[in-house]
Amino acid sequence: MTEPRLRTSVLVWGVGLLVYLLAVFHRSSLAVAGLVASERFDISASQLATFTMLQLLVYAGMQVPVGLLVDRWGSRSVLVAALLVMTAGQVAFALATTYPFGLAARALVGVGDALTFICVLRLVSSWFPRRRIPLFSQLTGTLGQLGAVISAVPMTWALRDLGWTTAYLVAAALGPVLLVALLLVLRDTPTRKNLRGAPMPLAAVRRSLAASWAVPGTRLGFWMHFSTPFSSNVLGLLWGYPFFVRGEGLSPAEASGLLTVVVVSAMTIGPAFGWLVGAHPWHRSTMVLTMVAAMAAAWGVVLAWPGEAPFGILVALAVVVGIGGPASMIGFDVGRTSNPPERLASATGLINQGGFIASLLLVVVVGLVLDWRTPAGSDYTADAFRWAMSTQFLLWALGGSQVWRFRRLARRTTTRAEVNASLRAGM
């Protein structure tokens, strides 16, 4: 690949990455608005959790259809639709004054969000040589989390000084700006602006999905993705800010800062995971299990601490939890090296459901436990948050045991030489 071509590839990928970054921003914008939303819509903790639950449910449910849409219509067209839907959702959320209308708006945001990530991964596969695909795939997931940074401190300020409606309208205005850049720059492949695939009959769709799921590596990738990102997702999407403020007694600025640490940690460690996967592909599941153990240990220290944990301990928690995001990308790499190219989109969609299903479950359970442990008419208590956040250990036990199970199955059907060869070939 010549240097000018590489610059063009990076430019196209960069525009796609900005769309994904905006999707993460919209997805995370409720994290620092949870307490304000409770007052605006006059809702309980479990009702507040329903906002994020619905968005995650839509996201997870859309992953396989999105893979099929990208195969059929190409990344460019699907990303245009994503920007239009996300913008409409944020405008509606800005204007919402009732709980049902707010839920409908967040569902729209979830649909638009769901359309982005697989599109950008497809752009990476189309625009970069095979040896660069693992690095730019990892960078996509890592740099996209800047959207959560942007939604933390600036959204806290905007909600306080500009008010709910203006803050969310300003956020929605970013969509049309990116749409112009997308239409001017982005192409599906170096030779085609819009790549169109052949229509796939329903029977063929079912066969493709069944074939992808039958591969042990796909199921291993699913459980890797299930086990690693839900803790950072739940902190960043909804419960992190209330937990740090009400559960640990921090100021709003300190809580927002810790949410930023979660994202910065993910961005810092992400490239290292890309290198580790390339250097030690046979130990990808060991990396994931190590991360699960580290996150469980960090939460165990915080939740077992008598009284409020020291700020330094909470910073360490934010750092460790943040690494779960890039660790989840290992699941995509396992799926990529376990499936033929013609099934890559469907396998990616199946794997990408894992972490969001886990996040969805945890968001709901945390809200229910908070309502259960909080006296009627009172604010959330530190004790209620300890009970609620402890439910994470159940998901780690389930996910970790399944990773252990399916890595044994995957290793029976794949040799070390095959894994190394597929990585060298960029499968």
Side-chain angles (χ1 to χ4, degrees), residues 1-3 6 9-10 124-125 127-139 336 423-424 426:
M1 177 180 286
T2 64
E3 198 61 29
L6 178 59
S9 299
V10 171
V124 169
S125 298
W127 278 90
F128 290 97
R130 290 177 176 178
R131 69 183 184 280
R132 296 184 188 269
I133 291 175
L135 173 61
F136 279 90
S137 295
Q138 184 64 247
L139 286 174
R336 181 176 60 85
L423 285 169
R424 286 194 298 269

Side-chain angles (χ1 to χ4, degrees), residues 341-392:
E342 63 270 16
R343 292 207 307 263
L344 182 57
S346 59
T348 301
L350 289 167
I351 291 169
N352 204 26
Q353 290 180 316
F356 289 93
I357 290 173
S359 300
L360 168 64
L361 290 172
L362 187 58
V363 163
V364 175
V365 170
V366 167
L368 291 174
V369 173
L370 283 175
D371 281 345
W372 169 49
R373 299 296 301 178
T374 300
S378 302
D379 291 333
Y380 310 141
T381 64
D383 179 69
F385 270 113
R386 283 193 176 89
W387 278 84
M389 293 304 185
S390 295
T391 58
Q392 295 178 94

Side-chain angles (χ1 to χ4, degrees), residues 2 22 35 66 101 128 173 198 206 209 213 252 292 361 364 369 372 382 415:
T2 64
L22 181 63
L35 300 178
V66 168
F101 191 58
F128 290 97
R206 288 197 298 265
L209 294 177
W213 187 248
V292 168
L361 290 172
V364 175
V369 173
W372 169 49
T415 67

Side-chain angles (χ1 to χ4, degrees), residues 65-81 115 119 122-123 186-189 192-200 345:
V66 168
L68 299 172
L69 283 172
V70 174
D71 284 340
R72 176 68 180 89
W73 298 104
S75 294
R76 188 174 188 268
S77 297
V78 177
L79 284 174
V80 168
L115 295 171
C119 288
R122 174 57 63 86
L123 288 173
L186 200 142
R187 301 170 62 91
D188 282 333
T189 72
R192 300 280 295 276
K193 177 180 285 188
N194 295 292
L195 184 64
R196 298 289 184 258
M200 184 178 289

